[in-house]
Amino acid sequence: MELIFLLLWAMLRSGEATGHGNGKCPVPHYIEFAEITIDRVMLGSKGRYKCEDGYKRTIGESNLIVCINDTGLIHWTTKTSVCTRVSMATSQQSERKPQSSAPENPVTIVPSDTAGYCGIPSPVEHATPTMTHYAVGQELHYKCLRGYDARPPTSDISTCKEESGKIFWTKLNLLCTNDSKSGEEMTQPIPITDTSEPSHVPPVMLHVCTVAVSTVFPIIFILLGWIIIPKLWRRRSFTEEVKTEKTKSILITAARVEMESEVEAHRLKSNM
């Protein structure tokens, strides 16, 4: 009877730990300048030991570890030795191998007292455990690295879920940056400018020039108008006065000549 009770308890604990753990989760979200921590590793999750620089996996020795349920005890499969030192020539050849360009966030398994989950894998000399397979129901805790936590939220949780036959990670509301501007300000479209010739004008100078064009130039035009328009009006008035004086002078001269002519004619008539 006690044996049956223990078996039922183990099955219940296994169900709590696995959730929907039969599926395989895709690659987790990548958030630049963030790290991932796991405090409760789901049953069925897998990992591999990665050898340190100067070491390689021992031939015939698997570096795979699995979170298993061993008669009610959930734990990682253990490894005693995975890596061996390599020779100098082998080390140089391994350095020339192309590295994967896909970005990944560093994943750290942290201690947890919660029963029914795997904790930190057992240490192996010259090797570091890394997660390679996440079971459905797994939670990943994202946190911005120090120096890139200027704008909240600086942490979030993504959960591997299965809905309608599709397995996916829930979305993250996280943007790790050292700029405190809001997301709307950071995503404003950049104006397109002519790049045929490189411009070396600082933004401050451009702002000053814009202010000068929009405020200073109209004031200058108004002042010039106040100065130039009266001068032009006075010049026009002076020109009209000159024309009037010339007309008067011509009329006076003509009248004088006519008068002198009449006097001369009268004098000649008297002499006769």
Side-chain angles (χ1 to χ4, degrees):
M1 190 68 180
E2 292 180 357
L3 180 59
I4 296 174
F5 176 77
L6 289 173
L7 289 174
L8 290 173
W9 179 84
M11 291 173 66
L12 288 173
R13 297 303 299 173
S14 175
E16 290 177 4
T18 54
H20 303 284
N22 296 324
K24 181 181 179 181
C25 298
V27 178
H29 299 298
Y30 172 73
I31 302 295
E32 191 175 12
F33 307 122
E35 63 177 354
I36 301 174
T37 57
I38 307 175
D39 58 355
R40 297 182 299 178
V41 180
M42 301 288 295
L43 183 65
S45 299
K46 298 177 182 179
R48 289 187 182 274
Y49 283 100
K50 182 179 179 182
C51 296
E52 298 175 353
D53 293 338
Y55 292 84
K56 68 175 182 177
R57 184 168 62 87
T58 304
I59 298 175
E61 185 72 31
S62 174
N63 63 347
L64 176 66
I65 55 175
V66 183
C67 180
I68 62 173
N69 185 349
D70 187 5
T71 63
L73 178 62
I74 299 176
H75 64 90
W76 289 102
T77 54
T78 57
K79 297 290 180 181
T80 55
S81 178
V82 175
C83 305
T84 55
R85 183 178 288 277
V86 298
S87 62
M88 184 64 68
T90 307
S91 177
Q92 291 176 354
Q93 290 179 1
S94 62
E95 289 177 357
R96 286 194 288 267
K97 290 182 180 180
Q99 300 294 326
S100 175
S101 59
E104 295 181 359
N105 291 111
V107 180
T108 304
I109 302 174
V110 297
S112 175
D113 297 331
T114 306
Y117 299 90
C118 284
I120 301 176
S122 58
V124 173
E125 192 175 12
H126 307 300
T128 303
T130 58
M131 295 294 299
T132 59
H133 176 104
Y134 300 95
V136 175
Q138 181 66 63
E139 290 184 349
L140 300 182
H141 298 256
Y142 286 76
K143 184 178 180 181
C144 295
L145 298 174
R146 185 176 181 182
Y148 294 93
D149 52 359
R151 188 166 61 84
T154 59
S155 62
D156 201 356
I157 298 176
S158 181
T159 305
C160 181
K161 291 186 176 182
E162 183 176 5
E163 294 180 1
S164 303
K166 295 183 179 180
I167 302 176
F168 60 94
W169 290 99
T170 56
K171 294 182 179 180
L172 290 165
N173 182 24
L174 189 67
L175 178 61
C176 299
T177 177
N178 56 4
D179 191 342
S180 59
K181 293 181 179 179
S182 65
E184 295 181 356
E185 291 176 329
M186 295 182 66
T187 55
Q188 289 294 326
I190 301 175
I192 300 175
T193 56
D194 184 9
T195 56
S196 57
E197 294 183 0
S199 176
H200 303 285
V201 181
V204 175
M205 292 299 297
L206 292 175
H207 179 70
V208 171
C209 293
T210 304
V211 173
V213 171
S214 60
T215 59
V216 177
F217 283 1
I219 295 175
I220 293 176
F221 290 149
I222 293 173
L223 292 175
L224 290 175
W226 284 349
I227 296 174
I228 294 174
I229 291 175
K231 286 188 176 181
L232 292 176
W233 182 260
R234 287 196 295 271
R235 180 176 294 180
R236 181 181 177 182
S237 300
F238 177 76
T239 303
E240 290 180 354
E241 290 178 359
V242 170
K243 288 182 179 180
T244 303
E245 292 295 330
K246 285 184 177 180
T247 303
K248 288 181 179 180
S249 177
I250 292 171
L251 292 174
I252 292 172
T253 302
R256 185 180 297 171
V257 171
E258 184 178 357
M259 187 179 293
E260 290 179 352
S261 298
E262 290 179 357
V263 170
E264 182 67 22
H266 183 71
R267 186 178 59 82
L268 290 173
K269 188 176 180 180
S270 299
N271 292 331
M272 292 179 64

